[in-house]
């Protein structure tokens, strides 16, 4: 709401106090630290923001901008941003943990259970991922890439060395290109013969 009005964001306790002062309930959200849950209707929340902008004026470049049109409406309530004692819940005053962090790296749902028990290799999740990285790669496809010259190697930027999937031999691409041109010429000859027939 403050982003739409291009104004200074009111403090969380001040905004909660203004809602409570109008007789509505409000609480923090478990989804986001800067969000609130309330049974106050939207027009009340916008009136509270209009009162906030009156105390903290903003300049708009255009009088017909959406924010200026919204602020042109006279609020039907008078918001009070004096911080109330019940605006800050006891759990927050006692600094109780609301948004817990993951207890370990890669914590959360794992892969489905296996029939075998235990971990015979005794490896961690990171070690298993590294071991299985690229195990589904088609070896024929990787081998076929050796007929093409490595563009990064030609620019002097290839860091893979002997592990590069592409060829670092200059003569390889020349040979592959001649084979390709020969194949295209043969296909053209075959198609021309078929046309004459």
């Amino acid at each position: 709401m403050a982003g739409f009005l291009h104004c200074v964001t009111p403090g969380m306790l001040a905004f909660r106090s203004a809602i409570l002062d109008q007789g509505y309930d409000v609480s923090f959200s478990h989804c986001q630290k800067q969000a609130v849950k309330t049974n106050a209707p939207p027009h009340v929340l916008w009136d509270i923001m209009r009162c906030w902008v009156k105390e903290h004026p903003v300049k708009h470049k255009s009088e017909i901008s959406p924010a200026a049109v919204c602020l042109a409406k006279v609020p039907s309530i008078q918001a009070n941003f004096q911080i109330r004692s019940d605006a800050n819940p006891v759990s927050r005053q006692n600094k109780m943990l609301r948004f817990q962090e993951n207890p370990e790296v890669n914590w959360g749902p794992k892969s489905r259970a296996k029939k075998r028990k235990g971990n015979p290799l005794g490896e961690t999740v990171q070690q298993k991922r590294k071991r299985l990285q690229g195990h589904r790669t088609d070896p024929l496809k990787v081998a076929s890439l050796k007929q093409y010259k490595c563009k990064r190697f030609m620019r002097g930027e290839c860091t893979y060395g002997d592990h590069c999937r592409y060829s670092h031999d200059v003569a390889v691409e020349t040979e592959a290109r001649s084979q390709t041109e020969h194949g295209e010429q043969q296909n053209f000859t075959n198609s021309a013969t078929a046309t004459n027939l």
Side-chain angles (χ1 to χ4, degrees), residues 18-37:
I19 297 175
L20 292 171
D21 191 64
Q22 298 300 320
Y24 298 100
D25 297 327
V26 63
S27 65
F28 285 102
S29 173
H30 67 283
C31 300
Q32 190 177 3
K33 293 182 179 180
Q34 302 299 328
V36 294
K37 295 186 296 184

Side-chain angles (χ1 to χ4, degrees), residues 63-75:
E63 296 297 331
I64 59 174
S65 64
V69 173
C70 180
L71 292 174
K73 297 180 181 179
V74 180

Side-chain angles (χ1 to χ4, degrees), residues 3-195:
F4 176 79
L5 299 176
H6 305 288
C7 66
V8 180
T9 305
M12 182 61 68
L13 296 183
F15 188 69
R16 285 169 55 91
S17 299
I19 297 175
L20 292 171
D21 191 64
Q22 298 300 320
Y24 298 100
D25 297 327
V26 63
S27 65
F28 285 102
S29 173
H30 67 283
C31 300
Q32 190 177 3
K33 293 182 179 180
Q34 302 299 328
V36 294
K37 295 186 296 184
T38 179
N39 59 350
H43 69 87
V44 173
L45 299 178
W46 282 112
D47 283 344
I48 292 176
M49 291 302 298
R50 290 186 185 99
C51 294
W52 173 261
V53 173
K54 283 186 176 181
E55 296 183 8
H56 304 80
V58 294
K59 293 182 179 180
H60 296 285
K61 296 181 179 179
S62 174
E63 296 297 331
I64 59 174
S65 64
V69 173
C70 180
L71 292 174
K73 297 180 181 179
V74 180
S76 59
I77 61 174
Q78 183 60 38
N80 182 14
F81 295 99
Q82 188 69 27
I83 297 179
R84 297 165 45 125
S85 59
D86 54 347
N88 196 13
V90 179
S91 59
R92 193 167 184 266
Q93 294 178 11
N94 296 335
K95 298 182 179 180
M96 296 181 64
L97 186 61
R98 285 179 173 267
F99 300 90
Q100 301 184 7
E101 297 181 359
N102 294 337
E104 59 182 8
V105 182
N106 298 320
W107 180 85
K110 301 293 192 300
S111 58
R112 63 184 180 87
K114 304 292 191 300
K115 291 185 178 180
R116 62 180 185 178
K117 295 182 180 180
N119 188 359
L121 299 179
E123 58 186 359
T124 62
V125 177
Q126 293 85 351
Q127 293 172 343
K128 184 177 180 181
R129 288 177 179 173
K130 185 177 182 180
R131 176 172 59 85
L132 298 178
Q133 183 69 31
H135 76 287
R136 291 194 179 97
T137 305
D138 187 4
L140 298 178
K141 183 177 180 182
V142 175
S144 65
L145 296 177
K146 284 293 184 180
Q147 64 179 332
Y148 300 105
K149 183 171 53 176
C150 179
K151 295 180 180 179
R152 293 185 178 181
F153 176 76
M154 298 302 295
R155 295 195 303 263
E157 300 175 355
C158 185
T159 58
Y160 292 101
D162 296 336
H163 300 287
C164 183
R165 296 183 178 184
Y166 298 92
S167 175
H168 288 181
D169 189 3
V170 181
V172 171
E173 186 180 6
T174 306
E175 182 180 355
R177 183 181 301 173
S178 62
Q179 292 178 358
T180 304
E181 292 176 354
H182 177 71
E184 291 177 353
Q185 184 177 3
Q186 186 175 4
N187 292 337
F188 176 76
T189 304
N190 294 338
S191 61
T193 304
T195 305

